[in-house]
Amino acid sequence: MLDAIMFLSGAMVMVLEMVGARLLAPHLGTSVIVWTSLIGVVLASLSVGYWLGGRLADRTLSRRTLSRILAGAALSVLAVALAHGRVVGWVAGGLDSLYVAAVVAAVVLFAVPGVLCGMVSPYVVRLALSDMDTSGAVVGRLYAVSTTGSILGTFLGGMVLVSWFGSTLILHGVAACLLGASLLAHPRAPLARLAMLAAVGGLAWASHAYAAFSERYYGVRVTETPYNHIRVYDATQAGRPMRLLATDPGRYQSAAYPDDMAELALPYTRFYALGPALVPQARRVLMLGGGGYSVPKWLLSGRAGLDADALRVDVVELDPGMTGVARRHFGLADDARLRIFHEDARAFLNRRAARLAGGEGGAGGMSGPNGPNRYDLIFTDIFNSYYSVPFHVGTVEAARHMRALLADDGAVVMNIISAAGGEDGRLFRAIRAAFAASFADVRVYAVATADSADYVQNLMLVARPVAGLPEAPAASLPPEVREMQARRLNLPDVPRDGVPPLTDEYAPVERYALGLVRWR
């Protein structure tokens, strides 16, 4: 019985921690700041629980008390399931600092469950000790069982549960498991706990029914994936219906017009037209980051000015769930010209560059500066969250691999949310310096305004392998592309504050990224 309780307790703590990030994501994002706050608060709460549980075990030792601790933990988790949306929304709305808000939200939600779950381990150990001659073996066994449960809970929570169930439903399941452990600890007088277990089941059903109601009447569709908490909702912009995809609070990452899914709805996505303007003969395009697949749909529709029939587009999207959302809600359809790779963008670049270096070009070969399997355009639109670009796609090594996969007359177009100058531009300047190490011509275009380098906005970095390549005459370009070109920033060749380029081995990216965007 005690082994089973230790196993369940260890597993539920880790499931709770894994799902905790999903509870914070809609209001605080998924940045490293949020994860750090959550892990730190849970560890601190468990430490307090260990201390309190040990002291309580020395004062009063009974299976009934253990049962009450577990029941209390279940009730605290149930309270989190019922109130997490309002609580985190209130914290996020009342505090300007992401650091403070993430810590406070984690404390309010997870301190009590963490303390009560932490009390279980020392209390169970004290109950199990009957002979000091074997106490070491008993303690070792119980903690091994608890750690095994934690391992299972980690994989179960991170790879299975969040892929199939919503966060609130998972919390109801955690509460039910802890109530089951309470019944196991003290089977006598079970009516109250059985009633609580039935109430948890009823609330879980009500939560599921409310989610279905919200989707039907409010148009909010929520999808939980191993990587994202995705919300799709409908809005109106300038009198025109628009569908939005969001993974972070207060921001949306993709958008489309329901009456024309191939049209680019967000201003920054239209700046990818700079690529076809520079490489009008492009036939092979690599898109790192799929999202709502706005740019791939635009390319394949023929609106980019390229030969759509001859076009071949490869998209690398880490999250298969994101692709599923794009298929269900954003008009993504199967197309013989489109290939989708569900993997990390940097892993894709590494593998393709290694094949190139080893002479494995695949069908047609990639050898030669403009081999048939090299890309004419590489588009990059990847973010861990609204707050940070994954450092490993902005390093010298990543830029070198992009250069290796790019035709000599091709171009890379990369979206970065940042300022170009000042404190908020350090990460951008490090990424720009990394690309300058492999590309002869690196330009930067401001999506919102070119009047201020210190303004945080979408910046489009355009890199070409060779300087002085011929370009289409301005008069032959559409007016909107000429307007985009007019927003080119006049930046110095060397980063003004000496920010070094990012590298895989030394990437001070978090120091840059944490101050990159003031989150509100």
Side-chain angles (χ1 to χ4, degrees), residues 201-227:
L203 290 170
W205 177 86
S207 173
H208 179 73
Y210 179 75
F213 172 83
S214 296
E215 178 174 337
R216 181 175 179 181
Y217 289 97
Y218 296 105
V220 179
R221 283 83 82 188
V222 177
T223 302
E224 300 274 3
T225 78
Y227 300 96

Side-chain angles (χ1 to χ4, degrees), residues 60-414:
T60 173
L61 190 65
S62 68
R63 291 173 60 174
R64 180 189 294 272
T65 303
L66 175 60
S67 174
R68 290 174 175 172
I69 294 172
L70 289 163
L75 287 175
S76 67
V77 173
L78 182 60
V80 173
L82 295 174
H84 65 83
R86 292 184 178 181
V87 169
V88 184
W90 173 76
V91 172
L95 298 173
D96 291 336
S97 169
L98 175 60
Y99 302 91
V100 176
V103 172
V104 170
V107 168
V108 173
L109 290 184
F110 302 110
V112 174
V115 168
L116 291 170
C117 288
M119 292 176 66
V120 172
S121 296
Y123 206 92
V124 168
V125 169
R126 185 66 180 84
L127 279 171
L129 291 177
S130 58
D131 185 355
M132 294 304 297
D133 291 337
T134 59
S135 60
V138 171
V139 172
R141 186 188 78 248
L142 289 174
Y143 275 99
V145 167
S146 175
T147 302
T148 302
S150 296
I151 294 170
L152 176 65
T154 300
F155 284 101
L156 185 67
M159 294 186 176
V160 180
L161 295 179
V162 297
S163 299
W164 292 95
F165 305 102
S167 301
T168 302
L169 189 59
I170 296 173
L171 289 175
H172 284 105
V174 171
C177 286
L178 290 172
L179 282 172
S182 175
L183 288 166
L184 187 63
H186 187 66
R188 296 181 181 179
L191 291 180
R193 286 168 290 167
L194 288 173
M196 291 167 56
L197 195 57
V200 169
L203 290 170
W205 177 86
S207 173
H208 179 73
Y210 179 75
F213 172 83
S214 296
E215 178 174 337
R216 181 175 179 181
Y217 289 97
Y218 296 105
V220 179
R221 283 83 82 188
V222 177
T223 302
E224 300 274 3
T225 78
Y227 300 96
N228 291 290
H229 176 98
I230 304 171
R231 302 180 309 286
V232 176
Y233 54 97
D234 294 324
T236 301
Q237 184 182 72
R240 188 176 182 184
M242 177 181 283
R243 182 161 298 163
L244 307 173
L245 181 152
T247 59
D248 277 323
R251 302 281 177 176
Y252 43 86
Q253 285 67 47
S254 289
Y257 296 117
D259 58 358
D260 188 354
M261 288 292 189
E263 183 179 349
L264 295 175
L266 297 181
Y268 88 90
T269 59
R270 298 170 192 147
F271 271 70
Y272 282 106
L274 292 169
L278 291 172
V279 193
Q281 77 285 359
R283 296 295 180 267
R284 300 198 71 237
V285 180
L286 173 63
M287 181 83 198
L288 302 179
Y293 285 75
S294 301
V295 175
K297 289 182 296 179
W298 167 72
L299 288 167
L300 296 173
S301 72
R303 303 181 189 188
L306 303 175
D307 184 354
D309 293 334
L311 204 59
R312 296 296 181 268
V313 179
D314 290 348
V315 179
V316 182
E317 167 56 52
L318 177 64
D319 190 354
M322 186 72 74
T323 300
V325 168
R327 292 186 185 280
R328 289 192 300 273
H329 304 298
F330 288 87
L332 176 64
D334 293 333
D335 193 311
R337 299 168 296 168
L338 174 67
R339 294 192 301 175
I340 299 174
F341 300 85
H342 289 126
E343 60 181 299
D344 187 277
R346 181 60 191 278
F348 178 90
L349 292 174
N350 291 350
R351 188 180 70 255
R352 287 299 180 94
R355 287 181 182 178
L356 177 63
E360 299 180 30
M366 295 184 71
S367 59
N370 296 292
N373 277 350
R374 289 180 184 267
Y375 294 103
D376 302 305
L377 290 170
I378 297 179
F379 292 159
T380 301
D381 189 16
I382 305 175
F383 287 84
N384 279 329
S385 69
Y386 170 70
Y387 310 105
S388 63
V389 177
F391 85 91
H392 60 292
V393 293
T395 62
V396 169
E397 292 83 0
R400 187 180 302 139
H401 289 161
M402 290 187 203
R403 169 63 187 95
L405 297 178
L406 189 70
D408 280 354
D409 56 353
V412 173
V413 184
M414 183 177 189

